[in-house]
Amino acid sequence: MASNNINIRRDVKDPYYRYKMPRLLGKIEGKGNGIKTVLPNIVDVARALSRPPDYPTKYFGIELGAQVKVEEKNEKYIVNGAHDVAKLQDLLDGFIDRFVLCASCKSPETDLVIHAKDQSIIRQCMACGQRTDVDLRHRLATYIVKNPPPKTKKGGQHASAAPGQDDGADGDHGSGGEVDLLARDASKLDIAGGATNGRNIDDDGDDDDEGWDVELDMSAEAIAARQKALSGGFVLGGADNDDDDENNSGGDDPYDQLGDFIKDNRDAPDSKIYAKATELHLAKKHRALIVVILCLFENSTTVAKDIAKHDKLLLSFGNSDKHQRAVIGGFERLIEARQDSLLPKTPAIFKALFDEEIVEEEAFLEWAKKPSKKYVDKDVAKLIHKAAQPFVQWLAEAEEESDSDEE
Ligand SMILES: [Zn+2]
């Protein structure tokens, strides 16, 4: 199911870019004057973009000078005439650019806020906090003002590999309006403040809401991390970078450089990889582990075995709680990227990490408490937790046994 997902920003080629949407489908039906193009998965595509499905449909109609037909109840979205799906996909890029992406940082995590007074539309960015105007000259803008996004709708879950996994949690989504947004931001700042005072409670910003707009950490660090992620580079995840000196933007991100080095030097021994990391001042960075894991474990069939081969490298970055959590996170990301082949291997992968003493029992049990969207989509996190269950159970039982041995 995941394999047919494409990057929301198609100009970003990074396969690990986290914002995905299903590839658009089109089906031509009818004949002659009645010929039409049905959009069978526009609902899923629109959900990934956190927009109502009639917006892109209407957009196609406007761009193509064609009538559209929307039957929300039956989930029927139709553009009159025969249209090539590749062409529609290209048009969708324009829709995304104009009505989804933050004009400032290009994040797709935006809400449309409509100001009824002056009929203006703003993209409120959840990644960088900027509000950028939608170009009202496009005719879709008029349509949006007349048909504002629903105030509350089902969690606008995005990018997740498994549409239909909606667990029914409803985010306070949509055009919450000025007041809502401000209140929401304030509560986020509270959370962020708490997190900086406490130690290492970085997983807790993580409630059970779905959707990208409800639980985002708006701390400066988190925003910086997300912006960096959007550059097309590695999405390193986590807002816990108190060892953070990495707000450098631009193409020469040391993490990207490390990733490129590993990809370009497939035969490099681990010592060379670590030397490169040291050269890039990443020798003790827990986030470097994410890059190493994503780039190094390219063979899905041998991941668990390969962990034993690279144990020293993985340990050389450090083994604090944070490092161990990053290792788990890195493998979560790897599993997310290749769910079909790796999800069933989750217990074996985790067992290997445990056997090689890269991740200790405590770190696994801490991780097992609750699926977290720290490194992967919440939906994927849930899948991984489910898949890891046999391992976690084994671990818990082993612990009980050793406890009773000690008595
Ligand atoms: Zn932004």
Side-chain angles (χ1 to χ4, degrees), residues 142-169:
T142 319
Y143 178 84
I144 292 174
V145 171
K146 280 187 196 148
N147 303 275
K151 275 217 158 61
T152 340
K153 64 184 179 192
K154 272 195 191 167
Q157 62 176 17
H158 61 102
S160 78
Q165 289 258 329
D166 198 332
D167 64 6

Side-chain angles (χ1 to χ4, degrees), residues 116-129:
K117 253 191 216 157
D118 59 353
Q119 307 239 306
S120 66
I121 309 173
I122 282 167
R123 281 164 290 183
Q124 165 76 47
C125 179
M126 299 303 152
C128 76

Side-chain angles (χ1 to χ4, degrees), residues 14-32:
D14 178 7
Y16 297 114
Y17 177 73
R18 77 169 293 174
Y19 301 111
K20 308 270 186 198
M21 63 182 172
R23 186 181 295 283
L24 189 68
L25 302 174
K27 210 172 126 210
I28 294 169
E29 290 180 0
K31 274 184 200 158

Side-chain angles (χ1 to χ4, degrees), residues 101-107 109-110 124-130 132 227 230:
L101 298 182
C102 167
S104 175
C105 75
K106 298 293 174 196
S107 166
E109 295 185 46
T110 65
Q124 165 76 47
C125 179
M126 299 303 152
C128 76
Q130 291 279 333
T132 49
Q227 278 176 315
L230 286 161

Side-chain angles (χ1 to χ4, degrees), residues 34-51:
I35 199 162
K36 57 190 179 181
T37 308
V38 180
L39 306 171
N41 72 339
I42 192 73
V43 172
D44 294 331
V45 173
R47 187 185 296 125
L49 299 171
S50 219
R51 295 290 178 269

Side-chain angles (χ1 to χ4, degrees), residues 16-272:
Y16 297 114
Y17 177 73
R18 77 169 293 174
Y19 301 111
K20 308 270 186 198
M21 63 182 172
R23 186 181 295 283
L24 189 68
L25 302 174
K27 210 172 126 210
I28 294 169
E29 290 180 0
K31 274 184 200 158
N33 280 342
I35 199 162
K36 57 190 179 181
T37 308
V38 180
L39 306 171
N41 72 339
I42 192 73
V43 172
D44 294 331
V45 173
R47 187 185 296 125
L49 299 171
S50 219
R51 295 290 178 269
D54 51 322
Y55 289 9
T57 309
K58 191 77 190 169
Y59 182 87
F60 293 148
I62 292 167
E63 291 289 313
L64 295 164
Q67 294 285 327
V68 303
K69 202 170 145 197
V70 169
E71 288 174 38
E72 249 172 78
K73 260 190 204 156
N74 306 322
E75 296 204 345
K76 279 236 155 187
Y77 295 85
I78 294 163
V79 184
N80 276 0
H83 304 288
D84 181 25
V85 71
K87 163 89 177 167
L88 294 174
Q89 188 81 61
D90 287 346
L91 288 176
L92 189 65
D93 290 339
F95 170 79
I96 291 168
D97 195 47
R98 288 176 156 125
F99 296 98
V100 180
L101 298 182
C102 167
S104 175
C105 75
K106 298 293 174 196
S107 166
E109 295 185 46
T110 65
D111 273 347
L112 291 181
V113 181
I114 295 167
H115 293 275
K117 253 191 216 157
D118 59 353
Q119 307 239 306
S120 66
I121 309 173
I122 282 167
R123 281 164 290 183
Q124 165 76 47
C125 179
M126 299 303 152
C128 76
Q130 291 279 333
R131 298 167 166 216
T132 49
D133 291 322
V134 163
D135 185 351
L136 298 170
R137 288 169 301 180
H138 197 281
R139 277 171 47 214
L140 185 67
T142 319
Y143 178 84
I144 292 174
V145 171
K146 280 187 196 148
N147 303 275
K151 275 217 158 61
T152 340
K153 64 184 179 192
K154 272 195 191 167
Q157 62 176 17
H158 61 102
S160 78
Q165 289 258 329
D166 198 332
D167 64 6
D170 64 346
D172 58 330
H173 195 86
S175 62
E178 275 319 89
V179 183
D180 270 16
L181 276 165
L182 290 174
R184 227 156 59 187
D185 285 357
S187 70
K188 276 168 205 153
L189 289 172
D190 268 5
I191 294 169
T196 27
N197 294 334
R199 82 200 143 74
N200 220 10
I201 47 174
D202 39 40
D203 277 350
D204 294 348
D206 177 61
D207 44 38
D208 288 317
D209 295 311
E210 297 295 331
W212 58 37
D213 51 347
V214 205
E215 53 191 306
L216 280 172
D217 183 347
M218 296 299 275
S219 67
E221 291 83 0
I223 288 172
R226 284 199 295 275
Q227 278 176 315
K228 202 166 65 169
L230 286 161
S231 68
F234 290 100
V235 182
L236 297 167
D240 59 340
N241 39 344
D242 49 19
D243 56 349
D244 182 21
D245 53 4
E246 49 208 42
N247 287 339
N248 49 339
S249 50
D252 285 342
D253 184 295
Y255 293 98
D256 283 344
Q257 290 185 46
L258 179 61
D260 289 343
F261 176 83
I262 298 171
K263 287 182 193 164
D264 295 343
N265 299 277
R266 279 288 165 216
D267 299 326
D270 285 0
S271 58
K272 282 259 163 60

